[in-house]
């Protein structure tokens, strides 16, 4: 594999360029070293990213087969991390590249620096929009790919965007964004259906106004130290600004007003167990039966009465522990049923393929062992696609090879060569060690509404 690291795709968004759309990077003469990753975008420390205070972070990496190729499919990876943490250099795509594709990984602005909407920023924008800077960064990277990837052996007319978690949400957002039209040809969403509805610009601005500075003082915002911004921010999320996004993701898919390309839409069988495990790893205390209903309320933003009613559908007697029960609630409500819903909407307009990653023994690199099995948790599938260094047993390695084959076939041909999703059949591809196969019963398993 040939690796070209730390390639700038836009000007550093610092100083007056903070909270503005990405600008072109200045050309250089001669040869620029591409042997080290660029700085990570500013973020707090977490199990899912390395702490950084750098705003000079708009860099990408290109990984190409060792033998030069012409017209290879291109796969552009958008990392996850709740749009708040994460970086491009956690993903070694050697197994994908070995199948004859060119892979690009990229950084994009995170947290408030990437997604703050504020009246002062809206007022100065010619588009009367603010927020969504991280999505604009991703589009700038895709334009870089369109201009330059041929020099690395890639085909600029066969580009697949793929991402997990917030990266999957980003893929959904790029499907919905009119500004991304023509920048990609296929899309893979891994566990990214958790936020199908976006805030309005007005609501996002209201939240941003509480962030810092007076409503009409953009200079004050740009003078804030990065450390202050990181301390004050409360996550990151796209908003319907009328420019990058004309409407919410679910509305775009419902009306068909999106960039129509073939899509793989997937989720993991036990998504929410990752977050239950994170809570236990931080507190050192397993979830108790008494804390189960309050935990449902906190997870889903429900009243205790509503959480009690929902808990009746997930009785503790049906699960080996309260942690596993809460994992089922969060998985079904936040991830699985939304993935099924969006797959159904997409399938009315474009070839759509649904999968579920379902290895109950997926290795857990983020936390020490907890009191319950973490199963096919959120992000578990990544180590089956990228060479992460975790130890897979023979059946897991076989599953990894199948998944890499599916993903690269989709990038090359627009199909993973399993049956397309059809709402009436509820059919999906079950990615399980020892027997990948087409299956039904997803809605019943995850208690999804018909």
């Amino acid at each position: 594999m040939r690796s070209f690291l730390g390639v700038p795709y836009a000007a550093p968004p610092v100083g007056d360029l903070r909270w503005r759309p990405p600008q072109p990077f200045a050309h250089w003469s001669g040869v620029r070293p591409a042997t080290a990753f660029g700085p990570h975008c500013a973020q707090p420390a977490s199990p899912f990213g390395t702490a950084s205070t750098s705003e000079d972070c708009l860099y990408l990496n290109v990984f190409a087969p060792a033998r030069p190729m012409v017209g290879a499919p291109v796969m552009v990876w958008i990392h996850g991390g709740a749009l708040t943490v994460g970086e491009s250099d956690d993903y070694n795509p050697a197994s994908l590249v070995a199948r004859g594709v060119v892979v690009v990984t990229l950084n994009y602005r995170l947290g408030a620096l990437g997604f703050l909407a504020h009246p002062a920023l809206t007022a100065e924008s010619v588009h009367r929009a603010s927020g969504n800077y991280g999505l604009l960064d991703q589009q700038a990277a895709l334009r870089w790919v369109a201009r330059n990837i041929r020099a690395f052996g890639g085909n600029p007319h066969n580009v697949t965007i793929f991402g997990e978690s917030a990266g999957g949400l980003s893929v959904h957002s790029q499907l919905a964004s009119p500004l991304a039209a023509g920048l990609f040809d296929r899309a893979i969403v891994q566990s990214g259906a958790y936020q199908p509805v976006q805030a309005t610009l007005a609501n996002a601005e209201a939240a941003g106004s509480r962030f810092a500075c007076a409503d009409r003082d953009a200079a004050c915002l740009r003078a804030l130290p990065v450390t202050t911004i990181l301390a004050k921010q409360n996550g990151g999320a796209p908003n319907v600004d009328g420019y990058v996004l004309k409407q919410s993701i679910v509305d775009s898919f419902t009306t068909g007003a999106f960039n129509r390309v073939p899509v793989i839409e997937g989720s993991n069988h036990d998504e929410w167990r990752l977050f239950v495990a994170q809570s236990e790893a931080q507190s050192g205390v397993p979830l108790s039966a008494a804390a189960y209903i309050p935990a449902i309320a906190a997870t889903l933003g429900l009243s205790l009465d509503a959480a009690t009613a929902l808990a009746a559908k997930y009785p503790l007697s049906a699960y080996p522990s309260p942690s596993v029960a809460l994992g089922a609630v969060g998985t079904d409500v936040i991830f699985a049923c939304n993935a099924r819903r969006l797959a159904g909407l997409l399938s009315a307009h474009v070839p759509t393929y649904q999968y579920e990653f379902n290895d109950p023994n997926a290795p857990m690199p983020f936390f020490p062992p907890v009191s319950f099995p973490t199963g096919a948790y959120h992000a578990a599938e990544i180590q089956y696609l990228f060479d992460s260094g975790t130890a897979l047993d023979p059946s897991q390695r076989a599953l990894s090879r199948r998944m890499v084959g599916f993903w690269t076939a989709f990038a090359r041909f627009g199909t993973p060569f399993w049956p397309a999703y059809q709402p009436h059949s509820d059919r999906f591809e079950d990615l399980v060690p020892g027997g990948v196969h087409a299956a039904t019963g997803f809605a019943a398993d995850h208690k999804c509404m018909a």
Side-chain angles (χ1 to χ4, degrees):
M1 186 169 71
R2 295 175 295 144
S3 303
F4 305 86
L5 311 179
V7 181
Y9 68 84
V14 300
D16 191 53
L17 294 184
R18 178 191 279 180
W19 289 311
R20 293 190 193 276
Q23 299 300 306
F25 190 87
H27 290 203
W28 64 83
S29 59
V31 177
R32 179 188 177 96
T35 56
F37 292 106
H40 302 160
C41 289
Q43 60 189 280
S46 77
F48 314 111
T50 304
S52 170
T53 57
S54 177
E55 292 184 78
D56 177 7
C57 64
L58 300 186
Y59 298 90
L60 56 74
N61 317 293
V62 182
F63 303 90
R67 169 184 264 179
M69 304 182 71
V70 176
V74 180
M75 302 184 72
V76 179
W77 173 254
I78 305 173
H79 72 76
L83 299 178
T84 306
V85 299
E87 52 265 342
S88 65
D89 50 298
D90 291 337
Y91 306 93
N92 177 354
S95 295
L96 295 164
V97 173
R99 300 293 184 103
V101 301
V102 174
V103 175
V104 177
T105 66
L106 61 102
N107 293 335
Y108 56 95
R109 282 174 282 180
L110 302 167
L113 288 165
F115 293 92
L116 176 70
H118 191 280
L121 301 176
T122 301
E124 71 178 17
S125 165
V126 296
H127 305 289
R128 291 297 183 262
S130 63
N132 295 334
Y133 305 105
L135 298 181
L136 289 169
D137 292 344
Q138 296 165 14
Q139 293 171 1
L142 290 170
R143 287 192 293 271
W144 185 96
V145 168
R147 292 192 306 269
N148 296 288
I149 206 64
R150 202 184 303 272
F152 300 87
N155 181 355
H157 304 296
N158 186 5
V159 175
T160 298
I161 58 173
F162 69 132
E164 184 272 340
S165 191
L169 173 62
S170 295
V171 172
H172 277 154
S173 299
Q174 301 303 352
L175 282 165
S177 176
L179 303 184
L183 294 179
F184 58 93
D185 306 276
R186 326 191 192 294
I188 303 174
V189 180
Q190 301 171 211
S191 304
Y194 61 92
Q195 193 180 92
V197 177
Q198 282 61 57
T200 64
L201 176 60
N203 287 341
E205 285 179 334
S209 294
R210 296 191 293 270
F211 178 83
C213 296
D215 278 2
R216 298 295 169 187
D217 197 352
C220 170
L221 289 169
R222 292 198 172 94
L224 290 171
V226 173
T227 51
T228 300
I229 294 170
L230 293 178
K232 288 180 174 289
Q233 70 183 18
N234 184 24
N239 76 83
V240 180
D241 62 354
Y243 174 55
V244 180
L245 292 177
K246 300 284 189 181
Q247 54 187 338
S248 278
I249 289 166
V250 68
D251 294 329
S252 294
F253 295 174
T254 299
T255 62
F258 65 93
N259 298 310
R260 297 192 183 188
V261 300
V263 178
I264 292 178
E265 182 77 45
S267 58
N268 295 357
H269 188 269
D270 308 300
E271 299 269 12
W272 200 254
R273 291 196 202 180
L274 173 70
F275 307 104
V276 183
Q278 183 178 12
S279 295
E280 182 175 321
Q282 291 172 342
S283 69
V285 179
L287 182 69
S288 67
Y292 176 52
I293 289 175
I296 292 176
T299 297
L300 301 178
L302 300 176
S303 68
L304 284 176
D305 287 345
T308 300
L310 183 59
K313 299 181 179 180
Y314 297 84
L316 288 177
S317 59
Y319 299 92
S321 70
S323 295
V324 172
L326 181 62
V329 174
T331 295
D332 295 354
V333 176
I334 298 172
F335 287 99
C337 297
N338 279 329
R340 177 177 177 269
R341 179 188 182 193
L342 295 185
L345 294 174
L346 288 163
S347 69
H349 305 283
V350 298
T352 304
Y353 305 88
Q354 187 188 9
Y355 75 83
E356 181 171 72
F357 176 80
N358 196 8
D359 182 357
N361 300 305
M364 166 58 79
F366 300 118
F367 314 114
V370 292
S371 64
F372 62 94
T374 49
Y377 60 89
H378 187 66
E381 86 289 357
I382 295 175
Q383 60 200 317
Y384 293 69
L385 295 169
F386 293 90
D387 297 74
S388 64
T390 54
L392 302 179
D393 67 28
S395 66
Q396 291 170 331
R397 289 197 297 273
L399 174 59
S400 172
R401 289 191 293 271
R402 292 290 300 277
M403 290 173 61
V404 169
F406 288 143
W407 264 239
T408 53
F410 182 75
R412 190 177 300 277
F413 301 111
T415 174
F417 294 103
W418 74 62
Y421 182 80
Q422 296 177 327
H424 68 273
S425 68
D426 200 30
R427 191 168 180 171
F428 67 98
E429 196 74 0
D430 194 16
L431 304 181
V432 60
V436 171
H437 61 280
T440 58
F442 186 95
D445 185 23
H446 292 289
K447 298 178 171 49
C448 303
M449 299 287 289

